[in-house]
Amino acid sequence: MRILPSLRRLVVSLSAIALGAALFAAPAASVEERVKELLGRMTLEEKVGQLVQYSSREDMTGPATASSIAPQMQSGGVGSMLNIVGAAETRKWQKLAVESSRLHIPLLFGLDVIHGYRTIFPIPLASAASWDLERIEKAERIAATEAAAAGINWTFAPMVDIARDPRWGRIAEGAGEDPYLGSAIARARVHGFQGDGSFATTETILACAKHFAAYGAAQAGRDYFTTDVTERVLREVYLPPFKAAVEAGVGTLMPAFNDLDGTPCSANPFLLDQVLRREWGFRGFLVSDWAAVEELRAHGNVTDLRDAAKKAFLAGMDVDMQSEAFGPYIAGLVRAGEIPPSRLDAAVGAILGAKFRLGLFDDPYRFSNEEREKTAMLHPESLEAARDLARRSMVLLKNNGVLPLRTADLTVALVGPLADAPLHQMGTWRGQGRKEDVVTVRTALEQIYPGRRLHYAYGCDVRGNDTQGIEKAKRAAVDSDVVVVAVGEDVYQTGESTSRTSLDLSGPQLALLKELNSAGKPIVLLLMTGRPLLLEAVEPLVDAILVAWHPGTMGGPAVADVLTGAYNPSGHLPLTWPRSVGQIPLFYAHKNSGRPAPLKQDDPYYSRYIDSLNTPSYPFGFGLSYTSFGYDRLRLSAPTIREGGAPLTVTARVTNIGKRAGEEVVQLYVRDRVGSVTRPVRELKGFKKIELAADESRDVEFSLTPADLAFWRADMTFGAEPGDFDVFVGGDSTAWLTMPFKLEASR
Ligand code: NOJ
């Protein structure tokens, strides 16, 4: 029996020598040539192997250990793995795949590197609030560099789902509610992860835009639930960030768990084939979400696992993450003539193409470098970038003058369950972030307010009903000049599978705030959260509200920077902040209706509530600074633009009318007054983040082209319609500075 493994090794080595001369092994040949030649050498089973992806996690279905998976690796039956981390560990599995299989095809190693690998950046919703594309891109590059050193060559990010329902916990993972902002951020993230797509350095890895599509439209905000989205809304709201990601060269996409117009996305030919491949020309490959192919059975559009494999694969799914559906069934389906061999070759060709581009055939271990792994993590510059992005992500919602806090002669009560909570500070999907790497708000403020100038008290839990610590917190408040109270959500309340029906502060956190309020000291609310939480009951109790989100490894120093004014806050909301759950979904780009909101709230028979205003607590795009900005002198280069003609230049003067330098997110919105279908009351069409010294004014220019005015018309063609428009410029989506213009048909 012992002779068998050595015999096998001999055969594999001899074949390696033979294959050394093969075209697919020649780095000088083009990727297309190499793919074609390799496909020609592969058996049907080896091709199917490329479609199979396993996780290493033992608590999940599927093979868990190297020994249990070895036979499948040896026969070329596995194409990629997920959740294996570390240079040594990935090297071990790569060695198994490359050395024991006939054609020595390397594995891809995927992981959810969502907002950092070891250096954890603010959650994606937070970084979207920075509106800072350059820094977002840089953060993803750092995440890619760290992950790549640990053997990861593929991240299941960016998540580009538009979300307009904060009951949905995964709102934390995206860029908010707006397709324009979402598309810009999608491009930045793809470029951050993938660079120019050549993977010439090991600072870039393959990205994956997910979850395709309309996953954020889950009915009632319940994760994984069904959607009911018209094709127009799908194309105008949910698809643009995916299209932007594809245009930015994203290598892979992940279809969403949900169904769409009755067909689960994982087996949806309209989405995966018609839109993605035919209309957008996508040439990469698709990976299913976890067990999503198998879940088609529960959706109820397939009869069994074989049928699920067939429908998903024919629709355009390429890699089966953890369903064990493609592995067992695709070869048989091809043999039975139910799947054309050309479809299999297209899928396998795209997967192999990615492996060639990543350089894995030339050096399967280029991403598994233990030396680099030692030095790549938590680099001082990476930590500084994390701190910088975190402070730029924070949104100041209220300030009656208590902020910034002076650093001399001040005693601070730091209170609340999230003030010293390294795990929660990292937020959902923490990659390989470690608690011990995190600098908490408490640690950071202790540096600034040493000794007895900082009174820390835990207060109460985020959840539960234990109120015992509240009294001590109140004493800390009484003994201090100002109270900073860090409340919000813990990591178990945000991210996947954490839908909520109540968006009130959970547990005794509101009781804590009330008690602190009775101490009579100014209160700064530090809201650490993965989504908007309702503030109507909270706002009157506090003097300032700073949304710090889940700010990551360097969140503590970033919070300290903002609280003390070392950094002047510049974040603006990437979503509308509702007053109540009853208003949801609430977003600024809504339709006008035939009975738009009344001037007087109690006018009946208008589109309104009898118990609430229509308006949000804080509008999309909103964010305060320690200075203020004035807008005037809105000008247009012409009153009219013409289809196919020169763009319209929109200029507004922005002035820093406060006493200190600050950054402003200057936003441009457009309204199309009349369309062949009803149009949103406003749509974001441009933004610029600028810095102005005190008293400084600047003309900020935007360029609007007729293409920017395009939409899905009544006949479902895409284009602009001549007519009257309004342009608005300002610091949030309620911008009042406005001028009309016309679009004329081309002559
Ligand atoms: C399920 C999630 O929906 C998806 O976003 C993630 O990439 C996969 N699991 C893999 O962890």
Side-chain angles (χ1 to χ4, degrees), residues 222-458:
R222 177 142 57 85
D223 202 9
Y224 317 125
F225 202 30
T226 193
T227 64
D228 189 5
V229 178
T230 63
E231 185 178 340
R232 175 170 286 106
V233 170
L234 179 73
R235 287 184 180 274
E236 278 180 12
V237 176
Y238 292 97
L239 292 187
F242 288 98
K243 185 158 188 272
V246 169
E247 285 164 1
V250 74
T252 71
L253 268 84
M254 182 187 289
F257 279 130
N258 54 280
D259 67 344
L260 192 68
D261 194 18
T263 305
C265 296
S266 301
N268 191 317
F270 166 73
L271 208 55
L272 310 191
D273 190 48
Q274 170 64 28
V275 173
L276 182 62
R277 290 189 163 111
R278 292 176 200 268
E279 293 180 25
W280 299 351
F282 176 68
R283 295 276 167 271
F285 68 92
L286 301 178
V287 57
S288 83
D289 204 335
W290 185 281
V293 176
E294 187 250 297
E295 287 171 15
L296 293 175
R297 290 188 296 187
H299 274 288
N301 71 321
V302 301
T303 47
D304 52 24
L305 200 53
R306 181 181 188 274
D307 195 25
K310 177 178 167 182
K311 289 210 167 89
F313 194 66
L314 282 177
M317 185 76 84
D318 301 303
V319 171
D320 170 5
M321 179 194 286
Q322 204 65 25
S323 285
E324 300 211 48
F326 285 6
Y329 294 111
I330 297 292
L333 284 160
V334 172
R335 283 206 181 89
E338 294 178 58
I339 288 176
S342 58
R343 166 69 194 112
L344 181 61
D345 282 359
V348 178
I351 297 162
L352 295 175
K355 294 181 176 184
F356 279 115
R357 278 183 201 96
L358 283 163
L360 293 173
F361 279 91
D362 308 323
D363 176 4
Y365 308 106
R366 76 187 281 245
F367 291 91
S368 307
N369 183 317
E370 285 172 77
E371 276 315 299
R372 222 173 48 238
E373 188 178 31
K374 278 187 210 135
T375 54
M377 308 300 158
L378 303 170
H379 205 275
E381 280 162 30
S382 309
L383 293 173
E384 194 44 44
R387 175 182 185 157
D388 190 37
L389 188 57
R391 61 193 183 184
R392 286 169 191 278
S393 302
M394 293 180 192
V395 186
L396 185 65
L397 294 181
K398 173 180 179 173
N399 185 16
N400 69 5
V402 61
L403 291 177
L405 302 178
R406 59 179 200 278
T407 51
D409 305 328
L410 192 78
T411 305
V412 177
L414 177 63
V415 171
L418 299 174
D420 196 20
L423 175 69
H424 307 310
Q425 194 175 302
M426 285 189 282
T428 183
W429 291 118
R430 296 165 295 286
Q432 293 297 298
R434 297 186 190 164
K435 286 197 269 185
E436 61 267 28
D437 301 334
V438 172
V439 186
T440 66
V441 176
R442 181 185 181 185
T443 306
L445 286 184
E446 274 170 354
Q447 309 285 311
I448 298 168
Y449 303 99
R452 300 194 53 77
R453 290 182 54 212
L454 189 92
H455 297 130
Y456 167 75
Y458 178 76

Side-chain angles (χ1 to χ4, degrees), residues 577-638:
W577 199 286
R579 293 176 194 273
S580 67
V581 169
Q583 290 182 309
I584 296 169
L586 186 67
F587 48 93
Y588 81 92
H590 60 81
K591 299 292 182 70
N592 205 35
S593 88
R595 295 185 173 194
L599 294 176
K600 284 212 329 280
Q601 172 65 17
D602 49 6
D603 280 353
Y605 306 114
Y606 286 95
S607 179
R608 53 135 202 169
Y609 299 100
I610 55 169
D611 58 355
S612 166
L613 296 171
N614 286 1
T615 53
S617 283
Y618 305 97
F620 173 85
F622 179 78
L624 298 172
S625 154
Y626 297 148
T627 186
S628 330
F629 299 94
Y631 287 79
D632 66 354
R633 299 192 53 206
L634 180 63
R635 285 150 282 159
L636 306 181
S637 54

Side-chain angles (χ1 to χ4, degrees), residues 82 112 156 170 210-211 254 257 289-290 321 429 496:
L82 79 154
D112 292 282
F156 302 124
R170 301 201 80 171
K210 69 186 189 185
H211 307 83
M254 182 187 289
F257 279 130
D289 204 335
W290 185 281
M321 179 194 286
W429 291 118
E496 188 175 346

